[in-house]
Amino acid sequence: MLTYSSTRGGGDKINAAKAIIKGIAEDKGLFVPSEIPKLKVPVEELAGKTYQEIAEIVIGQFFDDFTEEEIKHCVYSAYDSKFAAEEIAPIAKIGAEDPAYILELYHGKTAAFKDMALSILPYLLTTAMKKENETAQIAILTATSGDTGKAALEGFADVPNTQIIVFFPEEGVSEVQKRQMITQEGENTHVFAIRGNFDDAQTGVKNIFADGDFAQDLLEKGYKLSSANSINIGRLVPQVAYYVYSYAKLVEVGEIKAGEKINITVPTGNFGNILAAYYAMEMGIPVNRFICASNENKVLTDFINSGIYNAEREFHITNSPSMDILISSNLERLLYHLSGMNGDEIKAYMKSLDREKKYEVSGEIMKKLQCFFGGFADQNKTLTAIGEVYDNNGYLMDTHTAVAYSVYKDYVRETGDKTKTIIASTASPYKFAAAVSHGIGLDIEISDFHYVESLYDETKVPVPEGLKDLDKKEIRHKDIIEVSRMKDYVWNSLK
Ligand SMILES: *Cc1c(COP(=O)(O)O)cnc(C)c1O
């Protein structure tokens, strides 16, 4: 059986169920598997399987303390008609010559790729609680740059024995994202805007997790904390499934041959999505290069090019707000794997990041990092990409996907590499309706909600169900709080 332990070397080796319940390790490290399992079914045989069948295989191999029935229950409860696309993650091919394959990960309830994992996490967590005879209620703490919050709220709303608490940056999310969160229904949902950015929210949440006394006090009230951020391994592993699925799908429809290497481009913030792609490669999916696309907050671009991670820089609020992040948590997991699972080394990097806001990785890690290409697109390039793809291909992308597309184009120009490429498309264009409308040259509207209407009138791309009539829903969460008070609000939310 696989065991899970901290990237920073501390604490015990535990099973997947316990790691999912805990969310983050006691030494603030992230849980990683003792090894990344090799796919037990060869790629040729995966071609033709449904999303659910592939998810069962992938998730079952990582969470091998769950029974087959338990995994089946989780997978089929999560990936059902909640998704607006029967394939769950359909692929759009754009461009006749050197086509790109856009993997649409946003057909879940909240119209962003976070649904891919957050529709299953509540089932994985409640199953884990049963397996471990957990008697406490689980309180999910979540920092969000806009999309995780809503997807977590939607996933956990009214799930028995759970509470869900979300912190989002007051000024750092789109109008649609904010409205989705503050109108959330469900007796166990708690949503707070913070005066700060995403990194402040994420650091605040991590500090609450690391506060042993607070955990003890909460336990006396009957609560344990867990996380719905991609620091939770229960978030990350379900995301591996769609990379395996998309590869199998391209083989099935004859776009690639089994065994042929592909590139994978991912619009990146917290590094969870692209790390899932790396895990898929380690499982056996043939990958040539990972293209890591950033917006103006290009800390990862600089890191991949220099080996120096430097978070001491200006923070930009951009038109791809879900990637406005300077501390990419999941990079820690990649470094752990690239270091040959050296917890002490990772602990030293993270200590340096805490104290000096930066660290430099070893030459050994730098060498292995070469399978990643890093690039970025500023806001103008992002809008240009939306306009170009819409004009040339009649295909509408959101701003995050456009960042990825733009960096992918730069990569091809720079390297001449013609390897077939999957581009992860992470949100519906309607979530960022204002920016997308500007990208395709529509007139100025008064609010995001008017943009949704005019964008539909122009493009006839269907509006996701969950985004319709958002502006007419009752606002249920009104608190705006200081970062320093996050802990108090957690305490008061848990009765
Ligand atoms: C969260 C998010 C990202 C970034 O994904 P990471 O896993 O944090 O790197 C990109 N695009 C959208 C729309 C998102 O919601």
Side-chain angles (χ1 to χ4, degrees):
M1 213 166 71
L2 294 181
T3 56
Y4 287 80
S5 60
S6 168
T7 44
R8 301 187 191 178
D12 298 334
K13 294 183 188 316
I14 56 182
N15 66 17
K18 286 199 179 75
I20 293 169
I21 293 172
K22 279 183 134 171
I24 185 167
E26 272 141 26
D27 61 358
K28 289 211 216 180
L30 310 188
F31 286 114
V32 272
S34 45
E35 65 179 289
I36 298 175
K38 294 286 170 211
L39 278 167
K40 63 182 183 188
V41 181
V43 165
E44 305 86 81
E45 283 175 40
L46 290 174
K49 289 200 189 299
T50 63
Y51 191 89
Q52 292 84 349
E53 287 166 338
I54 288 179
E56 247 187 279
I57 295 169
V58 170
I59 299 170
Q61 284 197 253
F62 273 98
F63 298 157
D64 56 0
D65 52 327
F66 286 60
T67 66
E68 243 172 76
E69 280 64 42
E70 286 167 341
I71 295 288
K72 232 191 206 15
H73 160 71
C74 294
V75 165
Y76 284 87
S77 306
Y79 304 115
D80 60 9
S81 56
K82 283 194 280 306
F83 282 78
E86 204 188 328
E87 312 97 298
I88 306 296
I91 301 174
K93 179 180 177 180
I94 62 170
E97 223 179 288
D98 301 329
Y101 301 91
I102 313 276
L103 175 59
E104 296 180 351
L105 301 171
Y106 58 78
H107 294 288
K109 263 182 133 172
T110 74
F113 92 95
K114 304 297 197 292
D115 290 321
M116 298 302 295
L118 284 164
S119 347
I120 192 167
L121 184 63
Y123 294 101
L124 292 169
L125 181 70
T126 46
T127 306
M129 286 163 71
K130 247 185 241 146
K131 293 171 76 61
E132 296 296 321
N133 301 315
E134 182 60 67
T135 50
Q137 283 209 43
I138 303 292
I140 309 283
L141 282 197
T142 301
T144 182
S145 57
D147 291 324
T148 291
K150 178 62 185 181
L153 287 163
E154 199 60 55
F156 281 101
D158 292 326
V159 171
N161 300 319
T162 70
Q163 298 286 325
I164 166 86
I165 304 172
V166 168
F167 297 99
F168 72 88
E170 186 197 3
E171 305 286 342
V173 300
S174 82
E175 221 177 309
V176 169
Q177 288 177 316
K178 182 186 281 185
R179 192 64 70 96
Q180 278 186 302
M181 290 188 275
I182 61 180
T183 57
Q184 178 67 46
E185 295 174 14
E187 287 306 310
N188 63 342
T189 63
H190 313 271
V191 180
F192 304 104
I194 61 149
R195 295 201 176 91
N197 62 32
F198 170 75
D199 290 315
D200 298 324
Q202 175 158 263
T203 304
V205 163
K206 280 187 181 172
N207 287 339
I208 295 173
F209 277 124
D211 187 335
D213 293 340
F214 187 60
Q216 197 50 47
D217 290 346
L218 281 179
L219 198 56
E220 279 163 26
K221 258 199 200 185
Y223 291 98
K224 275 188 185 171
L225 297 177
S226 186
S227 169
N229 283 102
S230 52
I231 53 178
N232 193 324
I233 193 73
R235 252 287 295 276
L236 192 67
V237 163
Q239 295 180 206
V240 179
Y242 50 73
Y243 290 109
V244 175
Y245 170 77
S246 55
Y247 187 89
K249 194 70 187 180
L250 291 183
V251 171
E252 181 193 335
V253 298
E255 294 289 340
I256 57 173
K257 293 189 206 66
E260 183 177 339
K261 283 191 177 179
I262 57 163
N263 290 339
I264 299 178
T265 306
V266 184
T268 296
N270 221 3
F271 211 77
N273 202 1
I274 197 164
L275 183 73
Y278 178 81
Y279 275 24
M281 176 181 79
E282 291 291 298
M283 287 193 94
I285 296 304
V287 176
N288 171 51
R289 206 87 192 267
F290 299 98
I291 300 165
C292 175
S294 301
N295 63 24
E296 281 140 300
N297 296 293
K298 61 181 185 60
V299 61
L300 288 166
T301 310
D302 295 341
F303 171 67
I304 291 168
N305 292 325
S306 69
I308 299 171
Y309 194 97
N310 187 353
E312 183 83 329
R313 61 176 73 208
E314 199 185 332
F315 181 88
H316 300 276
I317 291 182
T318 73
N319 57 16
S320 49
S322 305
M323 291 154 62
D324 291 346
I325 293 177
L326 293 179
I327 299 184
S328 299
S329 293
N330 275 289
L331 183 62
E332 180 170 346
R333 282 193 171 106
L334 178 72
L335 298 179
Y336 178 80
H337 295 297
L338 298 185
S339 73
M341 318 229 276
N342 186 337
D344 290 337
E345 185 178 340
I346 304 308
K347 192 170 162 185
Y349 295 148
M350 294 306 135
K351 202 163 167 187
S352 168
L353 183 62
D354 252 4
R355 294 196 179 156
E356 285 132 57
K357 288 273 206 172
K358 68 177 194 181
Y359 60 85
E360 179 167 10
V361 294
S362 68
E364 192 58 35
I365 289 186
M366 199 50 199
K367 222 187 294 159
K368 292 188 188 153
L369 204 56
Q370 296 313 303
C371 62
F372 285 80
F373 172 92
F376 78 103
D378 66 18
Q379 302 194 64
N380 281 333
K381 279 182 83 172
T382 304
L383 296 185
T384 304
I386 292 172
E388 265 176 27
V389 170
Y390 186 67
D391 289 345
N392 298 339
N393 311 97
Y395 185 80
L396 195 64
M397 300 184 300
D398 95 290
T399 47
H400 303 74
T401 311
V403 166
Y405 186 84
S406 177
V407 171
Y408 156 70
K409 282 291 183 192
D410 287 346
Y411 169 79
V412 174
R413 253 193 309 273
E414 205 173 294
T415 62
D417 181 10
K418 293 276 175 70
T419 304
K420 301 229 169 80
T421 298
I422 286 175
I423 298 176
S425 176
T426 48
S428 158
Y430 286 104
K431 272 199 117 159
F432 308 95
V436 171
S437 300
H438 296 160
I440 64 169
L442 297 186
D443 292 339
I444 306 290
E445 294 284 356
I446 326 159
S447 79
D448 257 18
F449 304 108
H450 292 88
Y451 279 109
V452 169
E453 281 169 33
S454 59
L455 194 54
Y456 175 75
D457 290 342
E458 173 70 21
T459 65
K460 298 292 180 227
V461 172
V463 181
E465 217 39 60
L467 301 186
K468 285 182 187 160
D469 297 327
L470 251 189
D471 51 333
K472 297 183 187 75
K473 286 195 178 142
E474 183 202 350
I475 294 177
R476 306 182 71 248
H477 308 274
K478 295 181 182 149
D479 292 318
I480 303 172
I481 70 168
E482 300 300 329
V483 174
S484 59
R485 300 218 47 212
M486 285 170 64
K487 199 163 92 176
D488 301 333
Y489 278 82
V490 171
W491 180 257
N492 292 333
S493 297
L494 303 175
K495 298 286 180 289

